[in-house]
Amino acid sequence: MSNRLNEQIDKAADSVIKFGNICALTGAGISVESGIPPFRGQGGIWDKFDPFEYAHIDSFMKNPAKVWDVLLKEMKQTLDKAKPSKAHMALVDLESLGLLKTVITQNIDGLHQASGSNDVIEFHGNFANLSCLSCDKAFKMSEIDIRSMPPKCSCGGYIRPNCVFFGENIPFEALQRSHEAAVSCKIMLVIGTSATVQPAASIPITAKKSGAIIIEINPEKTALSSGISDIFIQGRASIIMTDLLKAIKL
Ligand code: NAD
């Protein structure tokens, strides 16, 4: 590991030890090592699909069969196999040490809960829960058979995953709780987000304005890295989080 990287990790560990009270904001990058590709960046899903063709609510309403067949079916197959990574586990360890309170995630994969984090705000909903567009009946993703696409309710309505599509509002409770977490934390740990999807991308800015130290972990620089992040640690989430945890426990 380079001296510069070691220095950044030590600096982050010192801040965590001194202030505690961490809120983590995670994005698709934290789940890359769980086998789920991100939207943007290397190997991103948007290299294969046009987001506005497949992830906008208008596209889904216009042609649910197409969106299920091309994007959602593949997503279900990928998420069914995914397991929490060392980075998810490190956040659970930080919680056990009494240093981390809340995880705000943009991810819809449920991996923070699967790893054992207790307070998770799902900013963009969860792919595991679905509902009928006509009668609102609830379903679990495990009940969905990918051999008959698109999935339909017994009432004849199309079934949708309860994640937030582009063009939809963020659930009010998630917005409110995230704001509270951002203004009350002393450290915001921003892991694996390109910080391009609003309003999630503004959460670190809110935290910073309220006096929090922003620690960012990402293999690539983002819009936050130079102006907003106080400590930018360049690298993969599992490696950096493992090293950060080691440095905190020293
Ligand atoms: P994004 O796809 O826009 O950006 C991913 C970021 O992760 C990039 O900055 C990339 O450099 C970084 N990254 C790649 N590999 C990494 C690694 N090993 N460790 C740490 N960082 C890594 O993702 P986003 O900012 O979360 O926003 C896009 C939207 O995509 C979110 O709203 C989310 O709902 C959705 N999404 C979710 C999942 C999931 O649930 N796992 C997967 C893809 C997209």
Side-chain angles (χ1 to χ4, degrees), residues 50-77:
D50 172 359
F52 284 94
E53 201 177 341
Y54 294 104
H56 198 284
I57 189 61
D58 294 346
S59 315
F60 184 78
M61 298 306 274
K62 208 160 98 191
N63 195 345
K66 181 174 158 188
V67 175
W68 265 108
D69 207 39
V70 176
L71 180 66
L72 301 180
K73 189 166 91 176
E74 185 169 323
M75 217 174 226
K76 172 175 163 52
Q77 287 168 313

Side-chain angles (χ1 to χ4, degrees), residues 73-171:
K73 189 166 91 176
E74 185 169 323
M75 217 174 226
K76 172 175 163 52
Q77 287 168 313
T78 305
L79 298 194
D80 280 351
K81 288 185 284 192
K83 299 269 181 306
S85 70
K86 285 183 183 166
H88 294 100
M89 298 312 301
L91 291 179
V92 178
D93 288 346
L94 286 176
E95 184 184 326
S96 311
L97 291 168
L99 296 168
L100 179 141
K101 282 188 165 172
T102 303
V103 177
I104 305 169
T105 189
Q106 297 167 79
N107 297 341
I108 53 163
D109 55 32
L111 290 178
H112 288 296
Q113 290 91 330
S115 65
S117 284
N118 285 302
D119 186 18
V120 182
I121 301 170
E122 292 182 307
F123 207 74
H124 292 153
N126 191 318
F127 196 69
N129 304 317
L130 305 94
S131 56
C132 171
L133 284 172
S134 302
C135 72
D136 222 25
K137 184 177 170 191
F139 296 86
K140 288 281 168 206
M141 193 53 89
S142 49
E143 298 171 61
I144 303 299
D145 185 350
I146 56 163
R147 286 168 302 185
S148 52
M149 285 286 135
K152 280 191 167 178
C153 179
S154 52
C155 80
Y158 287 112
I159 296 173
R160 63 160 290 170
N162 291 338
C163 44
V164 178
F165 282 84
F166 287 119
E168 289 193 295
N169 289 331
I170 306 299

Side-chain angles (χ1 to χ4, degrees), residues 27-29 33 37-40 106-109 124 192-194 218-219 237:
E33 287 146 288
F39 277 175
R40 300 169 193 81
Q106 297 167 79
N107 297 341
I108 53 163
D109 55 32
H124 292 153
T193 174
S194 61
N218 199 309

Side-chain angles (χ1 to χ4, degrees), residues 182 185-188 204 206-214 228 230:
C185 68
K186 293 277 182 236
I187 293 183
M188 180 159 276
T206 303
K208 179 136 181 136
K209 279 186 186 155
S210 305
I213 296 169
I214 312 297
I228 300 297
D230 297 287

